[in-house]
Amino acid sequence: MKKTIRDFDMEGKKVIIRVDFNVPMIDGVITDDTRIKASLPTIEYALAKGARVILLSHLGRVKTQEDLHKNSLESVAFRLSELLDKEVIFVTETRGNLLENEVKHLENGQILLVENTRFEDLNGSLESKNDPDLGKYWASLGDIFINDAFGTCHRCHASNVGISKYLPTGVGFLIEKELKEFSEIMTNPQRPYAVILGGAKVEDKIGIIENLIEKVDYLLIGGGMSYTFLKAKDFPIGKSMLDEGKLEFAKEMLKKYEEKIILPVDHVVQRENQIVMTAIKETKEDDIGYDIGDQTLCHFKQILQKCKTVLWNGPVGMFEKEDFEHGTVSLLEELSTLKGKVVLGGGDTSAAAEKFMITDFSHISTGGGASLSLLEGKTLPGIECIDEA
Ligand code: ADP
Ligand code: MG
Protein backbone atom coordinates (compact mmCIF):
# COMPACT_ATOMS: atom_id res chain seq x y z
CA MET A 1 0.00 0.00 0.00
CA LYS A 2 1.18 3.45 -0.91
CA LYS A 3 1.08 6.40 1.45
CA THR A 4 -1.82 8.74 0.82
CA ILE A 5 -2.45 12.38 1.48
CA ARG A 6 -4.25 11.31 4.67
CA ASP A 7 -0.96 10.09 6.16
CA PHE A 8 0.52 13.57 6.47
CA ASP A 9 0.20 16.46 8.89
CA MET A 10 0.03 19.31 6.42
CA GLU A 11 -0.64 22.31 8.66
CA GLY A 12 1.69 25.10 7.58
CA LYS A 13 3.59 22.78 5.23
CA LYS A 14 4.34 23.58 1.63
CA VAL A 15 2.61 20.73 -0.19
CA ILE A 16 3.44 20.23 -3.86
CA ILE A 17 0.58 18.46 -5.62
CA ARG A 18 1.14 17.08 -9.13
CA VAL A 19 -2.28 17.27 -10.77
CA ASP A 20 -3.48 16.43 -14.27
CA PHE A 21 -4.76 19.69 -15.75
CA ASN A 22 -4.12 18.49 -19.30
CA VAL A 23 -7.53 19.71 -20.44
CA PRO A 24 -8.73 20.09 -24.04
CA MET A 25 -8.61 23.73 -25.16
CA ILE A 26 -9.59 25.62 -28.27
CA ASP A 27 -8.07 29.11 -28.62
CA GLY A 28 -7.34 29.32 -24.91
CA VAL A 29 -10.87 28.29 -23.94
CA ILE A 30 -11.29 25.10 -21.92
CA THR A 31 -13.78 22.81 -23.67
CA ASP A 32 -14.01 20.18 -20.93
CA ASP A 33 -13.06 20.80 -17.30
CA THR A 34 -13.58 17.20 -16.06
CA ARG A 35 -9.93 16.84 -15.14
CA ILE A 36 -9.89 20.03 -13.10
CA LYS A 37 -12.98 18.90 -11.23
CA ALA A 38 -11.45 15.45 -10.65
CA SER A 39 -8.55 17.05 -8.78
CA LEU A 40 -10.71 19.11 -6.42
CA PRO A 41 -11.11 16.57 -3.57
CA THR A 42 -7.33 16.38 -3.07
CA ILE A 43 -6.79 20.13 -3.38
CA GLU A 44 -9.67 21.01 -1.08
CA TYR A 45 -8.53 18.48 1.50
CA ALA A 46 -5.01 19.95 1.57
CA LEU A 47 -6.33 23.51 1.85
CA ALA A 48 -8.71 22.54 4.64
CA LYS A 49 -5.80 21.00 6.56
CA GLY A 50 -3.93 24.31 6.43
CA ALA A 51 -1.41 23.38 3.76
CA ARG A 52 0.30 25.93 1.52
CA VAL A 53 -0.54 24.33 -1.80
CA ILE A 54 1.76 24.44 -4.84
CA LEU A 55 0.26 22.84 -7.95
CA LEU A 56 2.26 21.42 -10.85
CA SER A 57 0.77 20.17 -14.11
CA HIS A 58 1.60 19.79 -17.77
CA LEU A 59 -0.67 20.86 -20.61
CA GLY A 60 -0.22 19.47 -24.12
CA ARG A 61 3.17 19.24 -25.76
CA VAL A 62 5.63 22.10 -25.90
CA LYS A 63 8.08 22.03 -28.79
CA THR A 64 8.18 25.59 -30.14
CA GLN A 65 7.88 29.18 -28.88
CA GLU A 66 4.35 29.25 -30.27
CA ASP A 67 3.34 26.30 -28.10
CA LEU A 68 4.29 28.37 -25.06
CA HIS A 69 1.47 30.76 -25.66
CA LYS A 70 -1.03 28.09 -26.76
CA ASN A 71 -0.35 25.85 -23.78
CA SER A 72 -0.32 28.30 -20.92
CA LEU A 73 -2.14 27.15 -17.79
CA GLU A 74 -3.48 30.66 -17.18
CA SER A 75 -7.08 29.88 -18.11
CA VAL A 76 -6.90 26.74 -15.99
CA ALA A 77 -5.92 28.89 -13.00
CA PHE A 78 -8.93 31.05 -13.69
CA ARG A 79 -11.32 28.08 -13.93
CA LEU A 80 -9.84 26.48 -10.83
CA SER A 81 -10.35 29.69 -8.92
CA GLU A 82 -14.03 29.70 -9.94
CA LEU A 83 -14.48 26.07 -8.91
CA LEU A 84 -12.76 26.56 -5.54
CA ASP A 85 -14.34 29.98 -5.05
CA LYS A 86 -10.94 31.15 -3.91
CA GLU A 87 -7.96 33.08 -5.23
CA VAL A 88 -5.46 30.97 -7.17
CA ILE A 89 -2.09 32.67 -7.57
CA PHE A 90 -0.80 31.97 -11.06
CA VAL A 91 2.97 32.01 -11.51
CA THR A 92 3.99 32.66 -15.10
CA GLU A 93 7.31 30.81 -14.91
CA THR A 94 8.41 27.27 -14.09
CA ARG A 95 11.50 28.36 -12.17
CA GLY A 96 13.15 31.54 -10.94
CA ASN A 97 12.86 34.44 -8.51
CA LEU A 98 9.22 35.13 -9.15
CA LEU A 99 8.21 31.56 -8.36
CA GLU A 100 10.46 31.36 -5.31
CA ASN A 101 9.10 34.64 -3.98
CA GLU A 102 5.48 33.63 -4.39
CA VAL A 103 6.18 30.32 -2.65
CA LYS A 104 7.92 32.13 0.21
CA HIS A 105 4.93 34.38 0.79
CA LEU A 106 2.28 31.65 0.64
CA GLU A 107 0.15 31.47 3.77
CA ASN A 108 -1.65 28.50 5.27
CA GLY A 109 -4.68 27.59 3.15
CA GLN A 110 -3.42 29.55 0.12
CA ILE A 111 -2.82 28.04 -3.28
CA LEU A 112 -0.65 28.74 -6.29
CA LEU A 113 -0.40 27.16 -9.72
CA VAL A 114 2.94 27.02 -11.52
CA GLU A 115 3.01 27.50 -15.31
CA ASN A 116 2.95 24.38 -17.55
CA THR A 117 5.78 22.05 -16.49
CA ARG A 118 6.46 21.24 -20.14
CA PHE A 119 7.70 24.79 -20.72
CA GLU A 120 10.88 23.13 -19.46
CA ASP A 121 10.84 20.95 -22.59
CA LEU A 122 11.70 23.84 -24.85
CA ASN A 123 15.42 23.62 -24.12
CA GLY A 124 16.24 19.93 -24.10
CA SER A 125 13.06 18.20 -22.87
CA LEU A 126 14.08 18.69 -19.25
CA GLU A 127 10.63 17.81 -17.91
CA SER A 128 9.84 14.91 -20.26
CA LYS A 129 13.32 13.39 -19.99
CA ASN A 130 13.26 13.70 -16.22
CA ASP A 131 16.28 15.97 -15.88
CA PRO A 132 17.59 15.29 -12.34
CA ASP A 133 18.36 18.93 -11.55
CA LEU A 134 14.87 20.03 -12.50
CA GLY A 135 13.18 17.48 -10.23
CA LYS A 136 15.52 18.51 -7.44
CA TYR A 137 14.77 22.18 -7.98
CA TRP A 138 11.01 21.73 -7.86
CA ALA A 139 11.35 19.56 -4.76
CA SER A 140 13.30 22.37 -3.08
CA LEU A 141 10.15 24.51 -3.18
CA GLY A 142 8.14 22.24 -0.88
CA ASP A 143 8.03 19.98 2.18
CA ILE A 144 5.73 17.18 0.97
CA PHE A 145 4.98 15.78 -2.50
CA ILE A 146 1.56 14.39 -3.40
CA ASN A 147 1.04 12.78 -6.81
CA ASP A 148 -2.54 12.87 -8.03
CA ALA A 149 -1.97 12.96 -11.79
CA PHE A 150 -3.07 9.46 -12.72
CA GLY A 151 -3.04 10.26 -16.45
CA THR A 152 0.77 10.71 -16.42
CA CYS A 153 1.67 7.87 -14.06
CA HIS A 154 2.93 5.69 -16.93
CA ARG A 155 5.50 8.38 -17.71
CA CYS A 156 8.74 9.10 -15.94
CA HIS A 157 8.92 12.89 -15.86
CA ALA A 158 10.66 15.42 -13.60
CA SER A 159 7.37 16.72 -12.15
CA ASN A 160 6.15 13.31 -11.02
CA VAL A 161 9.06 10.88 -10.65
CA GLY A 162 12.09 13.22 -10.50
CA ILE A 163 10.70 15.38 -7.72
CA SER A 164 9.67 12.39 -5.58
CA LYS A 165 13.24 11.43 -4.72
CA TYR A 166 13.77 14.42 -2.49
CA LEU A 167 10.58 14.65 -0.43
CA PRO A 168 8.23 12.55 1.69
CA THR A 169 5.58 11.37 -0.80
CA GLY A 170 2.01 10.12 -1.05
CA VAL A 171 -0.80 9.77 -3.56
CA GLY A 172 -3.94 11.90 -3.72
CA PHE A 173 -7.55 10.72 -3.69
CA LEU A 174 -7.83 10.36 -7.46
CA ILE A 175 -4.90 7.96 -7.79
CA GLU A 176 -5.99 6.15 -4.65
CA LYS A 177 -9.38 5.43 -6.23
CA GLU A 178 -7.91 4.35 -9.58
CA LEU A 179 -5.55 1.92 -7.85
CA LYS A 180 -8.27 0.51 -5.65
CA GLU A 181 -10.70 -0.09 -8.53
CA PHE A 182 -8.13 -1.69 -10.81
CA SER A 183 -6.53 -3.85 -8.14
CA GLU A 184 -9.94 -5.19 -7.12
CA ILE A 185 -10.93 -6.28 -10.60
CA MET A 186 -7.51 -7.63 -11.43
CA THR A 187 -6.77 -9.60 -8.31
CA ASN A 188 -10.04 -10.43 -6.70
CA PRO A 189 -12.99 -10.13 -9.10
CA GLN A 190 -16.42 -11.46 -8.21
CA ARG A 191 -17.39 -14.14 -10.72
CA PRO A 192 -18.51 -14.58 -13.38
CA TYR A 193 -16.02 -12.05 -14.75
CA ALA A 194 -16.07 -10.76 -18.33
CA VAL A 195 -13.64 -8.53 -20.16
CA ILE A 196 -14.78 -6.75 -23.31
CA LEU A 197 -11.94 -5.80 -25.60
CA GLY A 198 -12.34 -3.66 -28.67
CA GLY A 199 -10.61 -0.82 -30.42
CA ALA A 200 -8.41 -0.66 -33.41
CA LYS A 201 -5.24 -2.71 -33.14
CA VAL A 202 -4.54 -6.15 -31.72
CA GLU A 203 -0.98 -5.08 -31.18
CA ASP A 204 -2.05 -2.43 -28.63
CA LYS A 205 -3.94 -5.01 -26.59
CA ILE A 206 -1.73 -8.09 -26.62
CA GLY A 207 -0.36 -7.24 -23.20
CA ILE A 208 -3.87 -6.97 -21.80
CA ILE A 209 -4.99 -10.26 -23.31
CA GLU A 210 -1.94 -12.06 -21.97
CA ASN A 211 -2.31 -10.56 -18.52
CA LEU A 212 -6.04 -11.17 -18.13
CA ILE A 213 -6.98 -14.26 -20.12
CA GLU A 214 -6.24 -16.69 -17.28
CA LYS A 215 -8.27 -14.64 -14.83
CA VAL A 216 -11.44 -14.06 -16.83
CA ASP A 217 -14.41 -16.31 -17.46
CA TYR A 218 -15.25 -14.61 -20.75
CA LEU A 219 -13.29 -12.49 -23.18
CA LEU A 220 -15.66 -10.72 -25.57
CA ILE A 221 -13.82 -9.31 -28.56
CA GLY A 222 -15.36 -6.65 -30.79
CA GLY A 223 -14.29 -3.66 -32.87
CA GLY A 224 -11.39 -3.56 -35.28
CA MET A 225 -9.34 -6.10 -33.38
CA SER A 226 -11.97 -8.84 -33.72
CA TYR A 227 -11.15 -9.29 -37.41
CA THR A 228 -7.70 -10.68 -36.79
CA PHE A 229 -9.31 -13.33 -34.57
CA LEU A 230 -12.08 -14.02 -37.10
CA LYS A 231 -9.52 -14.35 -39.88
CA ALA A 232 -7.53 -16.73 -37.68
CA LYS A 233 -10.64 -18.92 -37.70
CA ASP A 234 -10.85 -18.66 -41.49
CA PHE A 235 -13.91 -16.45 -41.62
CA PRO A 236 -14.17 -13.99 -44.51
CA ILE A 237 -13.53 -10.45 -43.27
CA GLY A 238 -13.47 -8.53 -46.55
CA LYS A 239 -11.32 -5.43 -46.28
CA SER A 240 -11.89 -4.95 -42.57
CA MET A 241 -8.99 -4.00 -40.34
CA LEU A 242 -6.47 -6.83 -40.09
CA ASP A 243 -3.27 -7.15 -38.11
CA GLU A 244 -1.44 -9.74 -40.28
CA GLY A 245 1.50 -9.97 -37.95
CA LYS A 246 -0.75 -10.99 -35.09
CA LEU A 247 -2.60 -13.84 -36.82
CA GLU A 248 -0.41 -16.47 -35.21
CA PHE A 249 -0.95 -14.96 -31.79
CA ALA A 250 -4.71 -14.95 -32.37
CA LYS A 251 -4.63 -18.61 -33.48
CA GLU A 252 -2.67 -19.59 -30.43
CA MET A 253 -5.09 -17.80 -28.09
CA LEU A 254 -8.11 -19.32 -29.80
CA LYS A 255 -6.64 -22.80 -29.55
CA LYS A 256 -5.79 -22.47 -25.90
CA TYR A 257 -8.85 -20.58 -24.68
CA GLU A 258 -11.54 -21.52 -27.16
CA GLU A 259 -14.35 -21.59 -24.61
CA LYS A 260 -13.54 -18.21 -23.13
CA ILE A 261 -13.13 -16.15 -26.27
CA ILE A 262 -16.38 -14.89 -27.76
CA LEU A 263 -16.25 -13.35 -31.23
CA PRO A 264 -18.83 -11.44 -33.29
CA VAL A 265 -21.21 -13.50 -35.45
CA ASP A 266 -22.46 -10.53 -37.45
CA HIS A 267 -21.42 -6.97 -38.18
CA VAL A 268 -22.28 -3.68 -39.84
CA VAL A 269 -20.26 -3.14 -42.98
CA GLN A 270 -19.66 -0.50 -45.56
CA ARG A 271 -20.60 -2.15 -48.88
CA GLU A 272 -19.93 0.28 -51.71
CA ASN A 273 -22.25 3.21 -50.92
CA GLN A 274 -24.40 1.29 -48.54
CA ILE A 275 -24.32 0.32 -44.93
CA VAL A 276 -25.42 -3.25 -44.42
CA MET A 277 -25.74 -5.65 -41.51
CA THR A 278 -24.55 -9.12 -42.41
CA ALA A 279 -23.48 -12.41 -40.87
CA ILE A 280 -19.70 -12.67 -40.63
CA LYS A 281 -19.70 -15.79 -42.75
CA GLU A 282 -21.49 -13.89 -45.52
CA THR A 283 -19.03 -11.03 -45.63
CA LYS A 284 -18.16 -10.05 -49.19
CA GLU A 285 -14.72 -9.45 -50.55
CA ASP A 286 -14.91 -5.65 -50.50
CA ASP A 287 -16.93 -5.20 -47.30
CA ILE A 288 -15.37 -3.19 -44.48
CA GLY A 289 -16.70 -3.96 -41.00
CA TYR A 290 -17.12 -0.99 -38.68
CA ASP A 291 -19.51 -2.14 -35.95
CA ILE A 292 -20.86 -5.30 -34.32
CA GLY A 293 -24.30 -6.51 -35.43
CA ASP A 294 -27.54 -7.21 -33.56
CA GLN A 295 -27.00 -10.96 -33.10
CA THR A 296 -23.60 -10.29 -31.62
CA LEU A 297 -25.02 -7.63 -29.32
CA CYS A 298 -27.67 -10.04 -28.18
CA HIS A 299 -25.10 -12.73 -27.46
CA PHE A 300 -22.79 -10.31 -25.64
CA LYS A 301 -25.71 -9.05 -23.52
CA GLN A 302 -26.74 -12.57 -22.52
CA ILE A 303 -23.27 -13.19 -21.17
CA LEU A 304 -22.91 -9.81 -19.51
CA GLN A 305 -26.20 -10.17 -17.66
CA LYS A 306 -24.77 -13.18 -15.83
CA CYS A 307 -21.59 -11.39 -14.80
CA LYS A 308 -20.76 -9.86 -11.44
CA THR A 309 -17.68 -8.06 -12.77
CA VAL A 310 -17.13 -6.48 -16.17
CA LEU A 311 -14.12 -4.63 -17.47
CA TRP A 312 -14.35 -2.83 -20.80
CA ASN A 313 -11.51 -1.49 -22.87
CA GLY A 314 -11.87 -0.41 -26.49
CA PRO A 315 -15.04 0.60 -28.37
CA VAL A 316 -16.68 -2.21 -30.36
CA GLY A 317 -17.13 -0.02 -33.44
CA MET A 318 -16.09 3.21 -35.06
CA PHE A 319 -18.33 5.13 -32.66
CA GLU A 320 -17.12 8.51 -33.90
CA LYS A 321 -19.41 7.99 -36.92
CA GLU A 322 -23.14 7.88 -36.34
CA ASP A 323 -23.60 4.92 -38.69
CA PHE A 324 -21.31 2.80 -36.57
CA GLU A 325 -22.05 3.94 -33.03
CA HIS A 326 -24.93 1.58 -32.29
CA GLY A 327 -22.92 -1.33 -30.85
CA THR A 328 -20.91 0.86 -28.51
CA VAL A 329 -23.97 2.81 -27.36
CA SER A 330 -26.01 -0.35 -26.75
CA LEU A 331 -23.23 -1.89 -24.69
CA LEU A 332 -22.90 1.28 -22.64
CA GLU A 333 -26.64 1.18 -21.98
CA GLU A 334 -26.58 -2.49 -21.07
CA LEU A 335 -23.59 -2.16 -18.75
CA SER A 336 -25.10 0.83 -16.97
CA THR A 337 -28.01 -1.37 -15.88
CA LEU A 338 -25.85 -4.17 -14.45
CA LYS A 339 -25.81 -4.57 -10.69
CA GLY A 340 -22.26 -5.86 -10.40
CA LYS A 341 -19.01 -3.97 -10.76
CA VAL A 342 -18.38 -2.32 -14.12
CA VAL A 343 -15.09 -0.59 -14.87
CA LEU A 344 -14.22 1.31 -18.05
CA GLY A 345 -10.59 1.92 -18.99
CA GLY A 346 -8.90 3.42 -22.05
CA GLY A 347 -8.97 6.89 -23.53
CA ASP A 348 -11.46 6.27 -26.34
CA THR A 349 -13.70 4.06 -24.22
CA SER A 350 -14.04 6.82 -21.61
CA ALA A 351 -14.53 9.36 -24.40
CA ALA A 352 -17.39 7.24 -25.79
CA ALA A 353 -19.08 7.11 -22.38
CA GLU A 354 -18.79 10.91 -22.11
CA LYS A 355 -19.96 11.46 -25.67
CA PHE A 356 -23.14 9.45 -25.23
CA MET A 357 -23.58 10.69 -21.66
CA ILE A 358 -23.85 7.22 -20.19
CA THR A 359 -21.52 7.39 -17.23
CA ASP A 360 -23.28 5.46 -14.49
CA PHE A 361 -20.58 2.86 -13.78
CA SER A 362 -18.55 1.73 -10.78
CA HIS A 363 -15.53 3.47 -12.26
CA ILE A 364 -14.44 5.26 -15.42
CA SER A 365 -10.70 5.62 -15.48
CA THR A 366 -9.33 9.14 -15.94
CA GLY A 367 -6.11 7.90 -17.53
CA GLY A 368 -5.95 6.37 -21.01
CA GLY A 369 -2.37 5.15 -21.33
CA ALA A 370 -1.98 4.73 -17.58
CA SER A 371 -5.04 2.48 -17.34
CA LEU A 372 -3.80 0.34 -20.25
CA SER A 373 -0.45 -0.09 -18.51
CA LEU A 374 -2.23 -1.20 -15.33
CA LEU A 375 -4.32 -3.71 -17.29
CA GLU A 376 -1.16 -5.10 -18.84
CA GLY A 377 0.08 -5.71 -15.32
CA LYS A 378 2.90 -3.21 -15.65
CA THR A 379 4.10 -1.10 -12.76
CA LEU A 380 3.67 2.62 -13.26
CA PRO A 381 6.74 4.77 -12.56
CA GLY A 382 4.59 7.60 -11.14
CA ILE A 383 3.24 5.21 -8.52
CA GLU A 384 6.35 3.09 -7.95
CA CYS A 385 8.20 6.19 -6.75
CA ILE A 386 5.71 6.91 -3.94
CA ASP A 387 6.59 5.90 -0.35
CA GLU A 388 5.05 2.74 1.08
CA ALA A 389 2.67 3.27 4.00
P1 ADP B 1 -9.01 2.91 -26.03
O1 ADP B 1 -8.44 4.29 -26.26
O2 ADP B 1 -10.27 2.94 -25.24
O3 ADP B 1 -7.97 1.95 -25.48
P2 ADP B 1 -8.51 2.14 -28.78
O4 ADP B 1 -7.62 3.32 -28.94
O5 ADP B 1 -7.87 0.81 -28.75
O6 ADP B 1 -9.44 2.34 -27.48
O7 ADP B 1 -9.56 2.08 -29.98
C1 ADP B 1 -10.43 3.12 -30.29
C2 ADP B 1 -10.59 3.29 -31.77
O8 ADP B 1 -10.94 2.07 -32.41
C3 ADP B 1 -11.70 4.25 -32.08
O9 ADP B 1 -11.15 5.39 -32.70
C4 ADP B 1 -12.61 3.48 -33.05
O10 ADP B 1 -13.06 4.27 -34.15
C5 ADP B 1 -11.72 2.39 -33.54
N1 ADP B 1 -12.46 1.23 -34.03
C6 ADP B 1 -13.34 0.46 -33.37
N2 ADP B 1 -13.86 -0.50 -34.16
C7 ADP B 1 -13.31 -0.34 -35.38
C8 ADP B 1 -13.42 -1.01 -36.64
N3 ADP B 1 -14.23 -2.05 -36.80
N4 ADP B 1 -12.66 -0.57 -37.66
C9 ADP B 1 -11.83 0.47 -37.50
N5 ADP B 1 -11.67 1.16 -36.36
C10 ADP B 1 -12.40 0.76 -35.30
MG1 MG C 1 -7.18 5.10 -27.84
Side-chain angles (χ1 to χ4, degrees), residues 134-174:
L134 181 59
K136 194 169 176 182
Y137 171 75
W138 279 331
S140 75
L141 301 172
D143 306 307
I144 295 166
F145 175 66
I146 298 294
N147 188 9
D148 210 22
F150 181 68
T152 38
C153 277
H154 58 312
R155 308 254 182 246
C156 186
H157 290 172
S159 65
N160 60 350
V161 175
I163 195 171
S164 71
K165 286 205 189 83
Y166 306 96
L167 291 171
T169 56
V171 297
F173 295 118
L174 182 65

Side-chain angles (χ1 to χ4, degrees), residues 7 75 168 187 198 215 278 297 368:
D7 295 322
S75 42
T187 57
K215 295 169 192 153
T278 171
L297 262 175

